Amino acid sequence: MTLSLHRAEQAAADAPLPGMIGEHPSMKAVYRLVRRVAPTDLPVLIVGETGTGKELVARAVHQLSGRRGAFVAFNASAVANTLFEAALFGHVKGGYTGATCDAPGYLLEGHGGTVLFDEIGSMDLASQAKLLRAIETREFRPVGARADRKSDFRVVAATNADLRELVCEGRFRRDLFERLHGVVIALPPLRTRMQDVPRLAASFLARHDHGALRFTEDALAMLSAYHWPGNVRELRQVVDRVAVMVDAAAIAVEDVVVAGLDQARGSSAEELERVLAAHGGDVSKAARALGLPRSTLRSRLKRI
């Protein structure tokens, strides 16, 4: 009974987070860490390449935290430094030219909930100093206001930059880094968990409600061999395009190529060998999976 209970608890801890797909051990480690840290008040720093799903993880942290307030995402790279205070702290009517009404700002909107500071590494030093004070005191002054306001918000930050390196270069405040560096959740790039590609592709395809539409084995092999520099986001974009373009019941290699996947340009020597091995050394099948002429694949294999 005890062993069965332990296995059930382990399975629950390893289960994918809301909106996320993946059975690779590196993803299960992410799921477990999120479930452990979510109920605490510790700040969370989510790191990973573009397109790995950092905002999805941030939302999962909020959903599992028990906090009743809203989840608010502030994209630091999308807000000009001159508008930083108004966007984050809010403003009052007449606080600056063009402010025709009061606006709460992200921190007040996140009261009782979670504020995601996305692309935190793109923030300039002056803005970092103001953010640090708000995080330390949970107090801030809207632009044009005469008094500070308070907000109880959970801090989650996300970045695709190396913040330690930015600190060493003097481009990121060490004290802010230490404030954000509570629990670090590192998301693996898709190329390191290729076994999840078929499951991800099928899930994205199902969202188009095409019923029996599916990928051929060669098409899936092609998707599973690509290096995916844009990670899960790029995979979803390719699937979205191919789902709109294909009329047949099965999605073939040619359809994936037309949808914008340039495997010929992106394949490394290691990837070519992996695809060839996956097809038992059959150059013709490997070439079809890669969307390459057989002669081109033979030529590239000779140079390895």
Side-chain angles (χ1 to χ4, degrees), residues 222-223 226-229 234-235 237-243 245-246 251-266 290:
M222 182 180 187
L223 294 176
Y226 185 57
H227 65 302
W228 298 110
E234 184 183 7
L235 172 60
Q237 290 171 344
V238 169
V239 174
D240 287 346
R241 287 196 295 269
V242 77
M245 296 165 58
V246 173
I251 300 172
V253 167
E254 295 77 12
D255 300 316
V256 177
V257 173
V258 171
L261 187 64
D262 190 353
Q263 180 69 23
R265 181 185 62 192
L290 291 166

Side-chain angles (χ1 to χ4, degrees), residues 7 9 42 66 106 150-151 162 218 220 222 252 255 259 276:
R7 287 176 177 173
E9 291 174 344
L42 290 172
Y106 286 93
K150 295 184 177 182
S151 177
D162 186 336
D218 284 348
L220 279 178
M222 182 180 187
D255 300 316
L276 184 64

Side-chain angles (χ1 to χ4, degrees), residues 167-287:
V167 169
C168 292
E169 294 173 354
R171 295 162 54 195
F172 200 86
R173 295 178 62 100
R174 183 176 297 278
D175 46 7
L176 178 57
F177 171 74
E178 291 172 351
R179 276 286 179 179
L180 300 173
H181 198 263
V183 175
V184 178
I185 300 176
L187 297 186
L190 184 54
R191 62 182 173 275
T192 65
R193 57 182 188 102
M194 299 300 282
Q195 70 185 53
D196 288 334
V197 169
R199 187 178 290 103
L200 284 163
S203 176
F204 296 151
L205 191 60
R207 296 178 186 182
H208 291 271
D209 195 26
H210 279 287
L213 184 61
R214 60 179 181 80
F215 288 96
T216 64
E217 290 186 10
D218 284 348
L220 279 178
M222 182 180 187
L223 294 176
S224 298
Y226 185 57
H227 65 302
W228 298 110
N231 294 293
V232 178
R233 181 183 298 144
E234 184 183 7
L235 172 60
R236 179 170 183 172
Q237 290 171 344
V238 169
V239 174
D240 287 346
R241 287 196 295 269
V242 77
V244 172
M245 296 165 58
V246 173
D247 293 324
I251 300 172
V253 167
E254 295 77 12
D255 300 316
V256 177
V257 173
V258 171
L261 187 64
D262 190 353
Q263 180 69 23
R265 181 185 62 192
S267 297
S268 66
E270 181 181 353
E271 288 164 347
L272 292 176
E273 290 179 330
R274 184 172 67 246
V275 175
L276 184 64
H279 289 84
D282 190 315
V283 175
S284 297
K285 290 183 179 179

Side-chain angles (χ1 to χ4, degrees), residues 3 12 29 31 41-42 47 56 59 70 84 108 112 116 118 121 125 160 163 169 188 199 217-218 241 248 266 283 304:
L3 182 59
Y31 306 152
D41 290 325
L42 290 172
V47 299
L56 283 175
R59 288 182 180 276
F84 166 81
L108 201 56
L116 167 64
D118 201 7
L125 290 172
N160 59 10
L163 293 187
E169 294 173 354
R199 187 178 290 103
E217 290 186 10
D218 284 348
R241 287 196 295 269
V283 175
I304 295 176

Side-chain angles (χ1 to χ4, degrees), residues 13-81:
D14 290 348
L17 298 170
M20 302 194 72
I21 297 171
E23 297 295 331
H24 190 274
S26 62
M27 290 304 296
K28 290 183 178 181
V30 169
Y31 306 152
R32 291 193 296 270
L33 183 54
V34 168
R35 288 187 168 93
R36 288 178 182 175
V37 72
T40 75
D41 290 325
L42 290 172
V44 175
L45 178 61
I46 306 170
V47 299
E49 297 179 5
T50 297
T52 49
K54 295 187 289 294
E55 184 169 338
L56 283 175
V57 171
R59 288 182 180 276
V61 169
H62 172 69
Q63 291 173 17
L64 299 174
S65 69
R67 297 181 70 89
R68 297 184 178 181
F71 173 85
V72 180
F74 172 72
N75 189 332
S77 66
V79 178
N81 294 326

Side-chain angles (χ1 to χ4, degrees), residues 154-166:
R154 170 78 174 273
V155 177
V156 178
T159 182
N160 59 10
D162 186 336
L163 293 187
R164 288 186 184 276
E165 184 176 337
L166 294 182

